[in-house]
Amino acid sequence: MKPWSWLAGAALAVLAVGTVQAQDTPRKGGVLRMTAPYAASFGSLDPHATPRAQDDIVNKAIHRTLYNWDTKAGKLALELAKSVSVSEDGLTYTFKLRDDAYFHNGRKMTADDIIWSYTRIMDGSKGYPAARYVRIIKGAVDVEKGQAKEISGLKKVDDFTLQMTLTDRVDPGYYFFPGSTAILPKEEVEKGNFASNPVGLGPFKFKEHVPGSRVVTERFDKFYKPGKPYLDRVDILIMAEAAARDVAFRNKEIDTSILGPAQYVAYRADPQLSKGILEVAEMFTRSMFMNLESIKPFQDKRVRQAINYAIDSDLIIKRLVKDKAYRATSWLPPSAAAFDKTAKPYPYDPEKAKKLLAEAGYPNGFEFEWTTSQNESWGLPIVEAVLPMLAKVGIKAKPKMTEATVLTELLMKGEYTSLIGSSLTGPDSLATLQCYYSKTPRTACNYTSFKSAEFDKLFEDAGKEGDMAKRDEILKKANNLVYEEAPVWFFNYNKAVLAHQPWVHGLQANPTEITHQYPEDIWVDASSPAK
């Protein structure tokens, strides 16, 4: 494995294996055929209803959020506002909104749309996943609890000036760039068929959705960025099977493809295919969640630690993941400011695992059910490799197969005993660690139902600390505490790899999710076979 110092420096940059070649003036027109590789369907085309990475591929074309992630600069940037000023106490933000942002129905966006969208997200009866982000606005929790109809911390100064008062001194950009916080037009949502006919502010407008196959979008000519988008159309094609993507890519039937471990090795070895590889160390942590309310053994920290000691994660990463990942040493990724570079992962030590199990009252082990999808990087192949390792210390795990599209839903409902998945763990450490705060509901992201008074105090202290360096030190302690408590099996951090055809230009090495491309910046040259 490469040293952490190198990984931390590379986490927000494209790795040297492949880059998008610089070209001349972007060409207008053409079609981009992107793949949605994470499931056999889309969960929802209503961005507020889904936190899934699969669905956000579509969201980036159709919708827009208050902020976005600027890959070139490696930081957050205003998207639907031209400027922002902050009060002296660091709690009130005044946004000067764009006055040239139009919804696809032709209406101009105003401050009312942002207020309505965030208020909708806080409807406690709906359990929208993005409520975890909007809760930082003063009065949002009152709406969620049904104690108020309006978020007191949101104030319309005029049509294009919005005032937002927060509960803590945090950068709102970290909370309002996820696709699930998209700004929507009230009148379109209230028609009742929004998930079938989404209307947004993005560079492409919805054309059709063929369930299980594709979403087709076409250029929106009134998009607020001059001269963009370049493309006439973006087709997002569902291709969950790696083998199918490989055949389609080699036959030039698709323009982008996520590479799994086996394909990563093969594409790197191919003289032509290796020229079209874009890599980035993503802010994702792969893990097995343990539902601390499901079975008694998981309620004992020693049992959870034993599971981490019982699994030879390095061997799995090398043999199965083909080194297309980095070993996880905590919940936060190495790119996080609160990541502890001195931390070391749980070593493979089955004897220590047996000892911990005996101390916890399980000398003969126990049984549990393990929910998994077919995903080759963090699904069934990984589970099958782990089973004999757990059996060696007396633990019997029974795999339960499910579709990748329902994993998040199962986590939110608590309908699992253990579940392996991949979680966005950046770019903001405070927002990420909120998922282990006892007051964060399961529907938001406390999927394990983790509770620790010591962690809660650290988290609350960090939220009150205005000095960012001091805040990071507090969060470092909180992150290390989560690692010690081990509510998950810490597996790896993803190295994302996107293969692209030679005629595609303008792709971004987005560390928050490489498939989440801002398609207005992408163009195809005349050699593209797609018409």
Side-chain angles (χ1 to χ4, degrees):
M1 300 296 290
K2 296 178 175 63
W4 289 117
S5 58
W6 173 90
L7 177 55
L12 297 181
V14 184
L15 305 184
V17 175
T19 59
V20 181
Q21 294 181 348
Q23 297 288 328
D24 296 325
T25 303
R27 167 181 175 259
K28 279 277 192 177
V31 179
L32 178 70
R33 303 162 299 175
M34 297 179 68
T35 51
Y38 301 127
S41 65
F42 294 112
S44 178
L45 297 186
D46 179 344
H48 291 175
T50 173
R52 299 177 180 88
Q54 174 95 337
D55 303 336
D56 215 20
I57 300 171
V58 177
N59 289 342
K60 288 293 182 286
I62 299 176
H63 300 289
R64 275 298 181 263
T65 48
L66 185 57
Y67 287 79
N68 72 13
W69 182 265
D70 185 333
T71 298
K72 288 184 178 179
K75 64 180 183 179
L76 293 157
L78 288 169
E79 178 70 16
L80 294 178
K82 297 183 290 185
S83 64
V84 61
S85 57
V86 189
S87 62
E88 191 173 333
D89 64 4
L91 293 176
T92 300
Y93 285 68
T94 301
F95 296 91
K96 291 295 183 180
L97 304 177
R98 304 189 70 104
D99 58 5
D100 58 354
Y102 288 85
F103 288 109
H104 300 156
N105 63 6
R107 181 174 67 78
K108 190 175 289 190
M109 181 203 76
T110 69
D112 289 322
D113 295 301
I114 297 179
I115 292 172
W116 181 84
S117 295
Y118 292 166
T119 304
R120 180 192 187 221
I121 290 170
M122 292 313 299
D123 183 344
S125 68
K126 303 296 184 183
Y128 288 127
R132 63 179 284 200
Y133 304 120
V134 182
R135 283 193 192 97
I136 68 163
I137 302 176
K138 182 180 179 181
V141 173
D142 294 332
V143 173
E144 184 177 35
K145 292 180 178 178
Q147 298 171 354
K149 292 184 178 180
E150 298 178 350
I151 298 176
S152 61
L154 290 176
K155 179 183 177 182
K156 174 185 174 181
V157 178
D158 58 46
D159 278 353
F160 302 106
T161 307
L162 174 72
Q163 194 175 84
M164 178 189 294
T165 301
L166 309 178
T167 57
D168 296 298
R169 284 173 291 193
V170 297
D171 183 343
Y174 287 122
Y175 295 77
F176 298 115
F177 88 94
S180 54
T181 65
I183 306 307
L184 308 180
K186 176 183 178 181
E187 69 274 18
E188 297 294 340
V189 174
E190 292 184 344
K191 287 180 180 178
N193 65 338
F194 192 78
S196 301
N197 189 29
V199 175
L201 292 160
F204 294 88
K205 57 186 179 181
F206 174 78
K207 184 177 181 181
E208 70 170 346
H209 174 207
V210 180
S213 176
R214 66 186 180 273
V215 164
V216 177
T217 67
E218 56 188 2
R219 180 211 305 272
F220 178 50
D221 290 326
K222 294 184 73 174
F223 185 56
Y224 49 81
K225 295 181 181 178
K228 296 181 180 180
Y230 302 116
L231 298 160
D232 288 334
R233 201 174 81 229
V234 175
D235 297 349
I236 300 107
L237 310 172
I238 295 173
M239 286 193 174
E241 295 296 328
R245 292 197 304 274
D246 182 43
V247 171
F249 190 84
R250 291 174 184 271
N251 288 338
K252 302 179 181 180
E253 295 168 355
I254 56 176
D255 298 321
T256 66
S257 178
I258 282 288
L259 299 187
Q263 290 180 348
Y264 179 52
V265 173
Y267 279 48
R268 282 191 303 175
D270 187 292
Q272 293 303 315
L273 294 177
S274 62
K275 296 176 181 178
I277 294 179
L278 188 66
E279 299 185 7
V280 68
E282 279 187 335
M283 302 171 183
F284 275 80
T285 301
R286 274 75 184 272
S287 66
M288 180 192 79
F289 294 92
M290 299 178 223
N291 187 342
L292 307 190
E293 295 180 341
S294 60
I295 60 173
K296 189 176 180 180
F298 285 166
Q299 295 168 8
D300 194 309
K301 176 175 72 173
R302 293 168 294 186
V303 171
R304 305 192 299 265
Q305 290 176 334
I307 289 174
N308 276 277
Y309 282 117
I311 302 172
D312 191 344
S313 300
D314 287 325
L315 181 64
I316 296 173
I317 290 171
K318 184 174 182 62
R319 297 283 179 82
L320 285 182
V321 188
K322 307 297 183 183
D323 284 328
K324 202 186 82 66
Y326 309 99
R327 178 72 188 280
T329 60
S330 66
W331 186 245
L332 295 177
S335 55
F339 177 79
D340 186 350
K341 295 179 176 60
T342 67
K344 295 181 180 180
Y346 282 92
Y348 175 54
D349 192 339
E351 291 307 312
K352 187 164 186 175
K354 290 179 182 178
K355 182 180 178 182
L356 285 168
L357 288 170
E359 291 175 359
Y362 302 97
N364 299 316
F366 63 97
E367 296 185 7
F368 70 90
E369 184 179 77
W370 191 345
T371 300
T372 181
S373 68
Q374 289 282 4
N375 188 284
E376 62 179 321
S377 297
W378 45 265
L380 186 60
I382 306 303
V383 171
E384 290 178 336
V386 170
L387 294 182
M389 297 178 184
L390 294 178
K392 188 174 181 179
V393 300
I395 299 175
K396 183 178 181 181
K398 298 178 180 179
K400 179 182 178 181
M401 288 299 303
T402 191
E403 273 287 335
T405 48
V406 303
L407 291 177
T408 302
E409 183 178 343
L410 294 175
L411 287 170
M412 291 171 64
K413 292 181 177 179
E415 295 176 353
Y416 75 98
T417 300
S418 71
L419 183 151
I420 190 167
S422 181
S423 306
L424 177 64
T425 48
D428 179 47
S429 299
L430 187 68
T432 297
L433 289 175
Q434 187 177 20
C435 296
Y436 292 100
Y437 184 48
S438 66
K439 294 181 181 179
T440 300
R442 186 190 291 276
T443 53
C445 65
N446 190 357
Y447 302 137
T448 63
S449 291
F450 179 76
K451 293 180 178 65
S452 165
E454 184 180 357
F455 176 88
D456 284 356
K457 186 177 187 310
L458 287 168
F459 181 80
E460 290 168 357
D461 289 347
K464 297 172 185 175
E465 179 56 65
D467 184 311
M468 293 299 105
K470 291 181 180 178
R471 172 181 290 185
D472 288 338
E473 286 303 310
I474 298 172
L475 290 174
K476 186 181 296 184
K477 294 178 181 177
N479 185 48
N480 287 344
L481 180 61
V482 171
Y483 190 69
E484 179 188 345
E485 290 286 338
V488 304
W489 161 48
F490 300 95
F491 182 28
N492 69 47
Y493 307 116
N494 182 45
K495 180 198 289 185
V497 183
L498 186 72
H500 60 88
Q501 300 288 7
W503 51 79
V504 178
H505 312 283
L507 292 169
Q508 308 112 45
N510 186 352
T512 68
E513 168 55 63
I514 201 168
T515 63
H516 293 172
Q517 296 288 317
Y518 291 95
E520 66 267 30
D521 294 324
I522 302 173
W523 60 283
V524 294
D525 63 42
S527 65
S528 171
K531 305 298 180 185

